[in-house]
């Protein structure tokens, strides 16, 4: 199915932005060049955009530009989004993690106000598993400690995180690269995550606001 397009005129009206803002954001690489689609119309050449993508992106820029500089936003929107850092307030405001997991991180790992991508990834993963009811608080602590100590040693995109329970006792395993895991009949794998998939999910959430 062909992607729905929106004209530049309609975009400026619907998004309530100016021509100058649009092209400033383009110059700052906040809006990709290939989203500017030139098409022939009965009035001549006009510029169109992929409707859903451009409106989502502009909404995200407008939400975040009061807290983050345009250069920092450009880093977030780039394929190299792993270079970003965010504060506690930004993580909560953008609905990346909850305050409770930040408190747990502060108690268990490190007291800090800004977080690099790797720390955000650890927080995001543990927070989601807690929110979904897949793990309990003690298991979240184990996950945070395991990731803090060993994640940087792995082939990060291909690493796999597992939580296994046996007779009520949990074990956290971080595999350096993807392998099949087999447990005995009395052990249950309750979490099995490919870290690469979690990385892409987090990057998309940071860029598109969820």
């Amino acid at each position: 199915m062909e992607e729905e397009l929106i004209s530049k005129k309609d975009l400026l009206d619907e998004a309530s932005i100016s021509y100058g803002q649009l092209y400033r954001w383009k110059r700052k690489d906040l809006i990709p060049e290939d989203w500017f689609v030139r098409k022939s119309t009965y009035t001549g050449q006009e510029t169109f955009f992929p409707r859903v993508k451009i409106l989502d992106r502009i909404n995200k820029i407008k939400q975040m530009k009061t807290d983050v500089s345009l250069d920092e936003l450009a880093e977030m929107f780039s394929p190299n989004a792993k270079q970003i850092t965010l504060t506690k307030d930004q993580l909560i405001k953008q609905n990346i993690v909850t305050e409770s997991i930040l408190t747990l991180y502060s108690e268990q790992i490190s007291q800090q106000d800004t977080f690099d991508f790797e720390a955000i990834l650890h927080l995001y993963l543990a927070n989601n598993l807690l929110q979904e009811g897949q793990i309990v608080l003690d298991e979240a602590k184990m996950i945070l400690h395991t990731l803090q100590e060993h994640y940087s040693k792995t082939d990060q995109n291909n690493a796999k995180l597992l939580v296994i329970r046996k007779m009520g006792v949990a074990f956290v395993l971080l595999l350096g690269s993807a392998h099949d895991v087999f447990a005995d009949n009395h052990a249950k794998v309750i979490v099995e995550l490919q870290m690469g998939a979690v990385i892409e999910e987090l990057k998309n959430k940071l860029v598109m606001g969820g």
Side-chain angles (χ1 to χ4, degrees), residues 9 11 15 20 23 53 90 131 136 157 164 169 175 177 186 189-190 202:
K9 179 180 182 300
L11 174 66
Y23 281 87
K53 287 180 182 177
Q90 289 169 337
Q131 294 290 306
V136 297
N157 280 318
I164 299 173
V169 179
L175 306 183
S177 56
H186 301 289
V189 178
I190 59 170
L202 175 57

Side-chain angles (χ1 to χ4, degrees), residues 129-145:
L129 292 175
L130 272 174
Q131 294 290 306
E132 293 165 4
Q134 295 189 58
I135 61 171
V136 297
L137 195 60
D138 283 343
E139 292 162 353
K141 294 176 184 178
M142 293 167 63
I143 287 172
L144 288 174
H145 280 291

Side-chain angles (χ1 to χ4, degrees), residues 104 107-109 122 138-151 172:
L104 183 66
E107 293 171 351
Q108 297 293 317
I109 305 298
H122 301 172
D138 283 343
E139 292 162 353
K141 294 176 184 178
M142 293 167 63
I143 287 172
L144 288 174
H145 280 291
T146 301
L147 290 171
Q148 172 71 16
E149 292 174 21
H150 302 297
Y151 179 67
V172 175

Side-chain angles (χ1 to χ4, degrees), residues 97 101 105 109 116-128 140 143-144 146-152 195 202:
V97 300
I101 198 72
Y105 189 93
I109 305 298
D116 62 17
F117 183 87
E118 188 170 307
I120 297 169
L121 177 68
H122 301 172
L123 287 161
Y124 177 74
L125 186 153
N127 184 78
N128 281 1
I143 287 172
L144 288 174
T146 301
L147 290 171
Q148 172 71 16
E149 292 174 21
H150 302 297
Y151 179 67
S152 62
M195 294 302 295
L202 175 57

Side-chain angles (χ1 to χ4, degrees), residues 41-105:
T41 68
Y42 68 93
T43 58
Q45 287 279 322
E46 289 189 33
T47 302
F48 293 81
F49 303 86
R51 182 186 183 87
V52 173
K53 287 180 182 177
I54 190 72
L55 288 172
D56 283 347
R57 177 62 59 89
I58 288 172
N59 184 52
K60 185 66 172 173
I61 294 169
K62 289 166 76 173
Q63 284 179 352
M64 297 176 62
K65 68 185 180 70
T66 54
D67 299 315
V68 182
S69 74
L70 292 183
D71 288 336
E72 288 173 317
L73 274 176
E75 287 186 13
M76 290 180 64
F77 293 140
S78 78
N80 197 22
K82 292 183 180 182
Q83 301 302 316
I84 70 162
T85 59
L86 293 175
T87 66
K88 286 182 180 179
D89 288 344
Q90 289 169 337
L91 288 171
I92 293 170
K93 183 176 180 180
Q94 294 176 41
N95 198 31
I96 305 297
V97 300
T98 59
E99 192 164 356
S100 59
I101 198 72
L102 287 166
T103 300
L104 183 66
Y105 189 93

Side-chain angles (χ1 to χ4, degrees), residues 144-195:
L144 288 174
H145 280 291
T146 301
L147 290 171
Q148 172 71 16
E149 292 174 21
H150 302 297
Y151 179 67
S152 62
K153 308 169 194 170
T154 68
D155 176 7
Q156 298 178 4
N157 280 318
N158 292 315
K160 182 186 284 188
L161 179 84
L162 297 106
V163 181
I164 299 173
R165 283 199 200 116
K166 182 174 181 180
M167 300 176 66
V169 179
F171 305 87
V172 175
L173 301 177
L174 182 63
L175 306 183
S177 56
H179 295 287
D180 292 326
V181 176
F182 304 94
D184 71 59
N185 292 336
H186 301 289
K188 183 179 180 183
V189 178
I190 59 170
V191 172
E192 183 173 354
L193 290 174
Q194 293 287 350
M195 294 302 295

